[in-house]
Amino acid sequence: MQLATGKFFGDERFPEQKFSVDGVRFPMVLSPTTTSYITAFEDAIRAEMQWLESLLKKSGAFLFRGFLVSSPSDFIDVVEGFGFPEALYVGGRAPRTKVVGRIYTANESPMDKRIPFHHEMNYVCPFDTYTFI
């Protein structure tokens, strides 16, 4: 598969990856081709946005590995670099805490409480096109 013209993103493989009938890997695992500082990662996202979106449509998911994202503020900077509109967290049924910006903790229910089968925020309209985990 052709990778970014800016040569910032390389692809990796791992044993759990799946392949579609046309050979597209799921998820697509992207890593930096050089030492990646957070500002370079954000700049590369903005510069390669069209390519990243087309790759996301083909693969269905990204797994970014090896980028120097070490804090919640780094993570929100990367999320914001994509420029996608925020899906507000309203009416969630599980206790969660806002970490920074649009970043929340996972379900904070006690471990002894059962979580029934569900799809994250599927009752919210309009539902979000992109999710960052």
Side-chain angles (χ1 to χ4, degrees):
M1 175 173 289
Q2 179 73 25
L3 287 182
T5 57
K7 298 181 182 170
F8 181 82
F9 297 104
D11 65 335
E12 288 188 27
R13 295 187 180 152
F14 64 98
E16 294 81 10
Q17 258 177 319
K18 306 296 182 208
F19 292 86
S20 67
V21 291
D22 56 355
V24 177
R25 292 188 298 277
F26 177 86
M28 187 67 184
V29 181
L30 300 176
S31 62
T33 56
T34 62
T35 302
S36 170
Y37 295 99
I38 189 68
T39 54
F41 186 21
E42 294 170 57
D43 291 345
I45 289 168
R46 288 183 187 95
E48 301 292 347
M49 190 60 193
Q50 186 175 358
W51 174 80
L52 286 167
E53 281 195 280
S54 70
L55 186 60
L56 184 58
K57 288 176 184 174
K58 290 176 191 169
S59 177
F62 291 142
L63 173 59
F64 290 111
R65 296 188 102 165
F67 294 93
L68 300 176
V69 178
S70 59
S71 70
S73 61
D74 286 350
F75 185 67
I76 192 64
D77 289 344
V78 170
V79 170
E80 297 293 336
F82 281 92
F84 299 135
E86 181 175 356
L88 300 176
Y89 184 72
V90 293
R93 306 210 193 296
R96 298 177 73 186
T97 303
K98 185 176 190 172
V99 178
V100 62
R102 60 172 98 178
I103 309 301
Y104 289 81
T105 59
N107 184 341
E108 295 178 5
S109 295
M111 294 294 287
D112 64 333
K113 300 297 179 196
R114 181 183 157 101
I115 301 172
F117 180 76
H118 64 287
H119 185 277
E120 299 298 332
M121 304 292 287
N122 68 336
Y123 51 84
V124 175
C125 291
F127 55 89
D128 200 17
T129 305
Y130 301 98
T131 302
F132 294 88
I133 299 176

